[in-house]
Structure formats: structure tokens, C-alpha cells
Amino acid sequence: MKEYFTFFKKNFKEVRFGWTLTLLSGFGQTYFISLYVPEIIKVFGISNGLFGGIYAAATVITSFLLITLGHFVDHKPIKTVTFYTILGLALSSILLGFSEIHMIVLFLALLGLRLTGQGLLSHISQTVLSRRFDLDRGKALSIASSGYSVGEAIFPIIVTSLLLWSNLKTTSLLCAAFLVFYLIRMRFLDLKKFDKDLDLESKISGKILLTDFKDIISERKFFIIMPSSFVMSFVSTAFFFYQYIFVKDLKWSVTLYASFFIVYAITRFIMSLIGGLLVDRFSAKKLFRFYLIPLGIGLFPMVVSNHILAALFFLVMIGITTGLAGTVKTALLAEVYGTGKLGTVRSFFNMFMVLSTAAGPLVVGIMMDNGINFNMIILLLILLTFAVILNNQRSLFRKS
């Protein structure tokens, strides 16, 4: 931990900025939006599968918008890119508050939340820190990733309490107010250090982007790295999106289950720090083989038991995987593709990750509507996860 203390003290402002963005990205993450799902379904009188379809459509569009906007972090002042991203997130929260007006308003709100929160804020944080730090990349990314853990620990409790006290409209408007407050705070931040790593003179055209994407997808290593990112987001999103539906159906205590997220967040935080040290010491390429295994193991108890402690075990194990992933995935791309066009590369891989977050709720929602029970859904997720874990081992025996 002494290594972290020394690094954090020396680079406090840069790391604090990255950490804040990952924290604020929570407003567009699936675990956060899932808190609203029961009320949204009730207000609009729609099924789980239909809402999953709406969410999937918004997320698919987000994935394609992400690859057209993600490269700006390589060529535009970071303060400008971040300001407009957070402004978009605040406006999307306002739209969600008034979503009862029409289904189109709900769709636009989901689109904005997914694009700016889950998509761009995470992308900006991970890209600028990975590019800024080389030898200490693992530590920088792991500290920033702890922002996810803090959000997962506090936001569900705060939002659940607000929803019990008020309603969807009041809660989402309060979230928007919080984001506007940070925009005011941003005026006093000096982020010019991040701009030193940019190529501000470059002109990026659609043709250049398409060429870059074609080069990425033509290489074998893409088909080793991409499925790993896809399956992790698919499984976690599918579970977290409907978690409070599962809680209700299985007659679990909502309050007790929500409190489990503190354990999940602590686990993720600890593993994020450990992951940073491991990446700096052994490289992300080596950790890539193993980081999904806890996720697969964590699903097993829920196949054979509907006890709430099975959910706790899962949250601990997925906390291990997500804690490692926050550092491993971005560091791996920097190691494999370099940092010159890291924003472009990350946005392309993130497109598939975001697509998986659309597919997860859609597929599971359809299965639920067709009467497939909770245990069978979990079993199918296990089979998918271990198929990808096997694929991750390919890089050990053949050249990329």
C-alpha cells in the first residue's frame, strides 16, 4: 500500500479527476437504472421483456454513437469534452424525471444516460489516465476504478431511500441537480496536464475511423479480447438490470439485498487496488487469462439455491472480477495497441461491450416472459461465461 500512497500523493489531482468521472458514471450504469425499473414498468404498464427491448434499443444506438464520439478524447481539450458529457448526463436525468409524459421521452432519457454516463464518462476517465501514466498505469486505473465501487455502495441506498420517500421524478431531478453542482465545480479545475498527451492538430474523418476499425477487427487478437469484455457486461447487466424483479419474485428482503451492495463495493474496491499492483508487476496480458473465473464460480450457488446468501456470494465473486477488470481491460488495450489512438481503440471495444449490455436485459427479459425460471437463466449464463474463459486461454499457445 506504500506504493499507492506515494503515487497518490504525487499525482493527486489527475487521479482525483479520473476517480470522480467513474463515480459520476454511475448515473448511467445499469445497476443505477435498475433501481427505477419496477416503478417504470408500473407507470407504463409494460412487461419485463418489452422494457428490456426498449432499453436494448437505446443501448444499441448508444454503442454506435460511442464509436463516433469516443475519439474526441484523443483530439479535443479534456475539460471541454468532460463538461459537455456531464451536461448531457444532467439533461438526461431531467428527461427521466418527466418520462411519464410519453414513452419517447423515456427512450431519449435512457439513450442519454447510457451514452454519457456508462459510455463516455467511463471512457474519458480510463483513456486519459492510461495515456498519462505508463509505468504506474495499473495503480492509476485501479484508484480511478474505485469510483465505481463507491457509487455502487452509496447510490443504491440513497436512491432506494429517495424512491420510498418520494417518486421517480423527484429522485431523478435531485440527481440532475447534483450533476449541475459538479459542472460548477469544474470551472475551477486545471486539466491542462491531460491535454499535453493529445494530438490537438489532427483532423479525424469518417474514412480514417473506418480504416482504424477495419485494422483492429482484421487481427486475431481482437477475437480473443472482445468476447471477454462482451460476456462480462452481458452477464452482469442481465442480472443487475432485473435484480429487484428477482428480489421480489424470490421473496428476498429488499433492504437486506440492497445492503449487500456495500459488501460488493468493498470487494470491488479491494480487488481494484490489488489488480493495479498486479498489472504493474506482471502485466495485464497475464491477468487476462484468469480475471473472469470468479464471475463464473459466483453464479453456481444460484443454480441450486434460491436463498439470499447465494446472491451475496455472487456479489462478492463478481466484485472480484469487476475489480480486476477495471484495470485489466484498459491496461490490456494500452499494452496491445499502444496509447497513440487509445481513445479510438477503447471506443471500438466499448461499442461491443455496450452492445452486450443491450443484449443481456433483452435476452433475459424474453426468457422471463416465456416462463424460464431464475435457476435455469443462471445456468445458461454460467455456460456462456466458461466458454469465454476457455477462449481467453488461446493467447497462451499461439501468437496474437
Side-chain angles (χ1 to χ4, degrees):
M1 294 304 292
K2 183 179 179 181
E3 297 177 49
Y4 271 109
F5 179 78
T6 303
F7 172 78
F8 186 69
K9 184 179 180 180
K10 184 179 179 180
N11 303 283
F12 173 72
K13 291 183 178 179
E14 292 96 325
V15 174
R16 179 186 62 183
F17 173 69
W19 180 90
T20 303
L21 295 194
T22 59
L23 174 70
L24 297 181
S25 75
F27 290 99
Q29 299 282 0
T30 298
Y31 79 86
F32 193 100
I33 297 173
S34 72
L35 302 170
Y36 298 134
V37 171
E39 187 167 345
I40 291 173
I41 288 176
K42 181 180 178 181
V43 169
F44 287 96
I46 55 180
S47 68
N48 295 317
L50 178 56
F51 182 67
I54 295 170
Y55 187 79
T59 305
V60 167
I61 294 174
T62 292
S63 68
F64 290 105
L65 290 175
L66 186 59
I67 63 171
T68 63
L69 300 174
H71 67 88
F72 284 132
V73 76
D74 288 334
H75 312 287
K76 300 293 182 182
I78 299 304
K79 191 170 186 177
T80 301
V81 174
T82 305
F83 178 87
Y84 284 110
T85 300
I86 296 177
L87 178 61
L89 186 58
L91 292 174
S92 299
S93 296
I94 293 173
L95 277 179
L96 184 63
F98 292 96
S99 61
E100 62 183 21
I101 294 174
H102 198 278
M103 192 78 74
I104 293 177
V105 179
L106 173 64
F107 180 79
L108 292 175
L110 293 174
L111 179 62
L113 290 170
R114 299 297 284 155
L115 175 62
T116 56
Q118 194 262 355
L120 289 173
L121 279 187
S122 298
H123 176 63
I124 295 168
S125 172
Q126 299 291 293
T127 301
V128 298
L129 289 179
S130 188
R131 187 163 52 211
R132 183 66 181 162
F133 301 101
D134 186 6
L135 296 178
D136 294 310
R137 181 180 292 129
K139 286 187 279 292
L141 291 174
S142 64
I143 294 173
S145 294
S146 69
Y148 297 124
S149 306
V150 174
E152 289 160 347
I154 64 175
F155 286 153
I157 295 174
I158 294 173
V159 172
T160 300
S161 300
L162 286 173
L163 287 172
L164 290 173
W165 168 71
S166 58
N167 53 34
L168 172 63
K169 183 176 183 179
T170 301
T171 302
S172 58
L173 291 180
L174 286 173
C175 291
F178 179 80
L179 290 165
V180 170
F181 175 79
Y182 183 72
L183 285 178
I184 297 172
R185 170 76 178 86
M186 268 197 69
R187 294 190 60 185
F188 304 97
L189 296 181
D190 182 7
L191 303 177
K192 292 181 181 178
K193 285 186 178 180
F194 290 118
D195 294 342
K196 294 178 182 179
D197 305 311
L198 304 179
D199 183 3
L200 297 174
E201 303 299 323
S202 291
K203 301 292 183 180
I204 298 297
S205 66
K207 184 177 180 180
I208 293 174
L209 282 175
L210 287 174
T211 300
D212 289 338
F213 296 151
K214 182 179 179 181
D215 290 341
I216 293 171
I217 206 169
S218 65
E219 296 180 304
R220 177 180 174 273
K221 56 191 174 186
F222 167 79
F223 295 97
I224 297 173
I225 299 172
M226 185 276 290
S228 178
S229 180
F230 185 95
V231 76
M232 179 182 164
S233 298
F234 181 95
V235 172
S236 61
T237 305
F239 183 86
F240 288 143
F241 190 80
Y242 292 113
Q243 58 187 331
Y244 287 98
I245 301 295
F246 294 145
V247 167
K248 181 180 178 181
D249 291 345
L250 297 173
K251 295 180 173 58
W252 292 344
S253 166
V254 175
T255 304
L256 180 59
Y257 179 80
S259 70
F260 287 169
F261 267 82
I262 297 176
V263 180
Y264 163 70
I266 291 173
T267 303
R268 178 171 180 171
F269 174 74
I270 293 172
M271 292 309 301
S272 177
L273 296 180
I274 293 173
L277 294 174
L278 292 175
V279 165
D280 288 342
R281 187 168 300 175
F282 299 108
S283 82
K285 289 181 181 178
K286 292 183 179 178
L287 292 180
F288 175 71
R289 295 173 53 196
F290 310 108
Y291 83 103
L292 281 178
I293 293 176
L295 171 62
I297 294 174
L299 290 164
F300 273 109
M302 292 190 293
V303 174
V304 297
S305 173
N306 288 338
H307 196 281
I308 193 170
L309 290 181
L312 176 60
F313 180 76
F314 169 72
L315 290 173
V316 170
M317 298 305 284
I318 195 175
I320 294 174
T321 289
T322 51
L324 293 173
T327 305
V328 171
K329 291 195 298 181
T330 297
L332 180 69
L333 295 180
E335 290 177 12
V336 172
Y337 293 98
T339 60
K341 292 185 176 182
L342 187 57
T344 301
V345 172
R346 283 198 82 255
S347 66
F348 188 63
F349 277 90
N350 279 353
M351 178 188 72
F352 293 94
M353 181 273 290
V354 174
L355 282 173
S356 74
T357 66
L362 177 61
V363 171
V364 171
I366 291 173
M367 287 194 287
M368 291 167 65
D369 288 347
N370 283 277
I372 298 177
N373 65 37
F374 173 74
N375 307 92
M376 180 57 67
I377 291 173
I378 297 298
L379 177 59
L380 294 173
L381 295 179
I382 288 174
L383 294 175
L384 177 62
T385 301
F386 276 95
V388 174
I389 290 172
L390 288 175
N391 182 62
N392 286 1
Q393 310 310 310
R394 294 167 58 204
S395 58
L396 296 175
F397 306 108
R398 294 172 57 189
K399 294 181 180 180
S400 297

